[in-house]
Amino acid sequence: MSNEAKITHHVASGKARLRHVFVKDLKIEALLGIYPEEKTTPQKIIVNIDLSVKEGKDPLSDDIKNVVSYEIVVKKVEEIVAAGHVGLAETLAELIAAACLRDKRVMAARVRIEKPDVIPNARSVGVEIERLRD
């Protein structure tokens, strides 16, 4: 048995019965960072989330309870950010991924946190993580 990490792809897959649920370029003000001013002055961050979601066997029947709602995913991000200061972008990404994985239908979560205004000559800086359901 190999200990190599599997590369996952966050795309819809008929064979694997996966949906790709995503949030792209969510702009939000957050207290994020290790410097004193970052602890008291909110700054713009950009959050991207890609979820691999297992499709159910039951028909959708056009009912929101049968899917992972991107609106609920966004609300989770807003709640996490509203809870207060986070020192590291890595920590914020972990908190968001863990919140998404609480839904048993989510098989994998990829979260990217960007800080667009930190390095003047860079469009943005940040971190991306991927977490898989055990």
Side-chain angles (χ1 to χ4, degrees):
M1 191 159 108
S2 172
N3 286 335
E4 290 183 37
K6 292 180 184 177
I7 297 173
T8 60
H9 300 282
H10 298 280
V11 294
S13 169
K15 184 177 180 182
R17 296 196 52 82
L18 291 175
R19 282 193 190 98
H20 177 206
V21 176
F22 63 92
V23 175
K24 185 174 182 182
D25 297 336
L26 175 66
K27 293 175 180 75
I28 191 166
E29 295 283 317
L31 292 173
L32 176 64
I34 59 170
Y35 297 109
E37 64 274 11
E38 293 176 310
K39 295 176 182 180
T40 58
T41 305
Q43 63 182 299
K44 180 173 64 174
I45 64 169
I46 301 168
V47 180
N48 283 279
I49 302 169
D50 292 286
L51 304 176
S52 291
V53 177
K54 193 73 170 165
E55 293 180 347
K57 293 181 181 172
D58 299 327
L60 284 178
S61 66
D62 207 25
D63 190 337
I64 190 71
K65 72 177 184 198
N66 294 327
V67 298
V68 172
S69 166
Y70 43 78
E71 181 181 15
I72 291 173
V73 172
V74 168
K75 286 181 180 180
K76 287 178 186 179
V77 173
E78 292 170 340
E79 288 170 6
I80 291 166
V81 168
H85 174 260
V86 176
L88 300 173
E90 291 85 349
T91 304
L92 181 57
E94 293 286 353
L95 291 169
I96 293 168
C100 291
L101 285 165
R102 282 190 202 102
D103 187 317
K104 300 295 184 202
R105 297 170 293 185
V106 176
M107 300 293 105
R110 179 171 286 171
V111 179
R112 175 189 291 252
I113 305 294
E114 296 181 60
K115 295 170 78 175
D117 301 326
V118 173
I119 306 294
N121 56 336
R123 187 173 57 82
S124 69
V125 296
V127 64
E128 181 176 277
I129 66 165
E130 180 181 63
R131 296 296 172 256
L132 308 174
R133 176 162 306 288
D134 293 330

